[in-house]
Amino acid sequence: MASGLAALSSGEGPENEVDAFIFGDDAALVDLLAGRLSALEGLADGRLLTDHVGALCRLADVARASRVPPPPAPPLGLLHPRGSLPAGKRYPGGSVVLLPDAIAAYAAATGDASVAYRGADGVAPPLIHARLLRDELFAIMEDADLKPDLSQLLHVGHDARLSRPLRPYEVLQRRASLQHIAQKPGGLLITGSLALVSAGDVVVQAHTVFYVPGQRVAPVGTVAGTLPPPLPSPPDRAADRRLDWQMDADQSQRYADASLDHNPIHVNEALARAAGHPGVVVHGLCTLARAVQGVVAALAFDDPRSLRRIGGRFVRPVHNGDRLQT
């Protein structure tokens, strides 16, 4: 594939030291350096390869910035030097129709064969709001005021309250906002608020949390917004049930198609390895959906209609083929 090679140096280390190598055809390299091709787009479609994703993204940012007059640089290189983090910011919503095909695809992608999703009285899988709110999730992940580094961004938690199950052909209004932002010494912690509304009633209210290691946009200790209620801690006793299961070999790709979340780290092996993972990373919400499915099957007669709250913390990346226990 690669007919061109670029070597990138920050100029901060020893003379002639190379920080990253970038491979691609000549046209892709020209487009990258001219600011017409984004780093993640080039990696996702195979036009670019690199041994250092972060360096490539920085190069692409510099190339894009060179095409337009740059804004005044804030002191210390911070986006929000005085702590004016954009908590409370709302994103454009819109409406979405929950179609039966989407229900079937999401259930199949998570291996959920519950009969509750079939027939005239069928409902949707509890975590299908991840698909319906996909654009809002990405609006938070790609927020222009925070500029998260997508190659490093980690989904570290999700907590959803369901007033009732969703049903086929429902018309739902989507809402999203930045709820809480905290600049930690090691990176940036971002909490987003998500909602689905039907006929004026909130039927899904979710809080989702991202962490970007190494990202610094404000002085350490700067906090804005209000934290959502925490997840309850599990009781300190032996488990009532233990369920052993395994991720499928193609789990991340199937879930990406069903959830519409094709973030390259979940589907592009080369990008995932360049970011330091042994392979593509399974979506945190996919892991949560499969874990919840096992709980429902074991404790609720395989009927998800009784679920009212689903939450989890994503402590460590999960990969295709991993064995897990609920």
Side-chain angles (χ1 to χ4, degrees):
M1 182 280 294
S3 61
L5 167 67
L8 177 63
S9 174
S10 65
E12 297 175 354
E15 186 176 0
N16 298 323
E17 180 177 299
V18 173
D19 292 336
F21 288 100
I22 303 166
F23 305 88
D25 58 50
D26 291 339
L29 290 172
V30 170
D31 286 345
L32 175 72
L33 295 172
R36 295 188 295 268
L37 175 64
S38 75
L40 290 180
E41 180 184 356
L43 287 168
D45 63 19
R47 282 183 286 172
L48 297 174
L49 294 174
T50 183
D51 60 347
H52 194 309
V53 173
L56 172 59
C57 291
R58 288 195 296 274
L59 173 63
D61 288 343
V62 170
R64 282 195 300 272
S66 68
R67 302 182 65 200
V68 296
L76 305 177
L78 302 179
L79 292 173
H80 303 277
R82 289 178 296 278
S84 56
L85 295 172
K89 176 181 180 180
R90 297 185 178 184
Y91 300 98
S95 61
V96 62
V97 180
L98 178 51
L99 297 175
D101 287 350
I103 294 175
Y106 196 89
T110 53
D112 192 345
S114 174
V115 297
Y117 310 139
R118 307 172 197 163
D121 294 327
V123 298
L127 276 164
I128 200 169
H129 64 267
R131 173 187 174 116
L132 303 179
L133 289 162
R134 182 267 178 202
D135 290 349
E136 285 66 34
L137 279 166
F138 270 77
I140 296 169
M141 292 163 57
E142 299 173 336
D143 183 81
D145 291 323
L146 297 176
K147 302 185 187 301
D149 181 351
L150 283 181
S151 69
Q152 299 298 316
L153 182 141
L154 303 171
H155 199 175
V156 296
H158 191 78
D159 182 11
R161 296 172 185 264
L162 319 174
S163 67
R164 61 167 175 78
L166 301 181
R167 299 184 179 278
Y169 298 109
E170 276 200 81
V171 178
L172 300 157
Q173 303 297 316
R174 310 190 311 262
R175 297 177 183 171
S177 64
L178 278 175
Q179 181 167 14
H180 185 265
I181 308 164
Q183 181 64 69
K184 305 289 187 179
L188 188 66
L189 192 66
I190 305 167
T191 301
S193 176
L194 304 161
L196 289 172
V197 180
S198 175
D201 295 326
V202 177
V203 290
V204 176
Q205 176 71 60
H207 304 287
T208 202
V209 186
F210 299 100
Y211 182 64
V212 193
Q215 186 98 18
R216 188 174 174 196
V217 301
V220 172
T222 301
V223 177
T226 305
L227 277 173
L231 282 168
S233 297
D236 185 16
R237 58 179 173 81
D240 297 304
R241 301 280 183 94
R242 294 180 186 269
L243 309 171
D244 294 298
W245 52 283
Q246 185 174 13
M247 284 292 183
D248 297 330
D250 62 345
Q251 184 69 72
S252 58
Q253 182 64 60
R254 285 173 36 228
Y255 187 83
D257 293 339
S259 67
L260 310 180
D261 180 353
H262 288 89
N263 188 344
I265 199 170
H266 299 306
V267 294
N268 186 299
E269 195 82 19
L271 175 60
R273 291 184 183 277
H277 298 284
V280 293
V281 179
V282 177
H283 307 65
L285 289 173
C286 177
T287 303
L288 185 59
R290 291 207 55 179
V292 166
Q293 172 202 338
V295 173
V296 169
L299 303 178
F301 304 101
D302 206 20
D303 187 350
R305 282 179 268 248
S306 60
L307 282 173
R308 288 296 175 267
R309 188 177 185 185
I310 304 168
R313 300 182 184 94
F314 311 137
V315 178
R316 191 173 66 189
V318 174
H319 303 94
N320 289 337
D322 279 0
R323 294 183 178 276
L324 298 100
Q325 184 178 83
T326 303

